[in-house]
Amino acid sequence: MDEVAPMHFSSPYISSNYPLISAFVAFALAQSIKFFTSWFKERRWDLKQLVGSGGMPSSHSATVTALAVAIGIQEGLGGPVFATALVLACVVMYDATGVRLQAGRQAEVLNQILYELPAEHPLAESRPLRELLGHTPSQVIVGGLLGLFTAVAISLLRTMTNS
């Protein structure tokens, strides 16, 4: 039976976790890009874009793709860890363009119905539902590409600094 290595929680161990760093950097980049693209579209700063879901690019896709690619680079493509990361990345991206996108579209319709209710209706004062929940296929693809490039760039930086 193989011996299990003890878990370490020291800062150097976490800070050298290449897949984790790749995922966090890809998430931060995607959210930052959303922040700036919303400014270009609306000409106003929207701090909610730094933490909100939905929009271009998909931070969910960027995060899970960066994680899977980094694991593939670090551990190889033939192991169960990469297989798990890849399958989970595909499920997250499929969900973002399927269930979550449709839920956002339903929220748009329900909000329109709420706005058209007469003032005396008991639901007229209801808070609107969040509409930006999912992603279009292009938002998911761009997020995935961002995650891929982020993991590869961090891998190259690690290689250059370790040489």
Side-chain angles (χ1 to χ4, degrees), residues 56 58 61 93 96-97 101 105 135-143:
M56 173 68 90
S58 166
S61 298
M93 290 188 278
T97 58
L101 180 62
R105 289 182 176 160
H135 295 282
T136 63
S138 62
Q139 293 169 339
V140 168
I141 290 168
V142 171

Side-chain angles (χ1 to χ4, degrees), residues 2-9 13:
D2 292 334
E3 234 179 86
V4 176
M7 291 182 83
H8 299 282
F9 292 102
Y13 181 77

Side-chain angles (χ1 to χ4, degrees), residues 86-129:
L86 181 62
V87 168
L88 290 176
C90 291
V91 168
V92 166
M93 290 188 278
Y94 177 79
D95 182 63
T97 58
V99 175
R100 292 178 59 234
L101 180 62
Q102 292 305 314
R105 289 182 176 160
Q106 289 175 1
E108 285 180 46
V109 171
L110 291 171
N111 284 339
Q112 186 61 41
I113 292 169
L114 282 175
Y115 295 139
E116 294 175 7
L117 290 175
E120 62 275 1
H121 194 282
L123 295 175
E125 297 297 317
S126 298
R127 261 187 334 173
L129 300 169

Side-chain angles (χ1 to χ4, degrees), residues 18 21-23 25-26 149-160:
Y18 159 59
I21 291 168
S22 294
V25 169
F149 292 131
T150 300
V152 170
I154 291 174
S155 176
L156 292 172
L157 284 172
R158 291 177 68 226
T159 302
M160 291 172 32

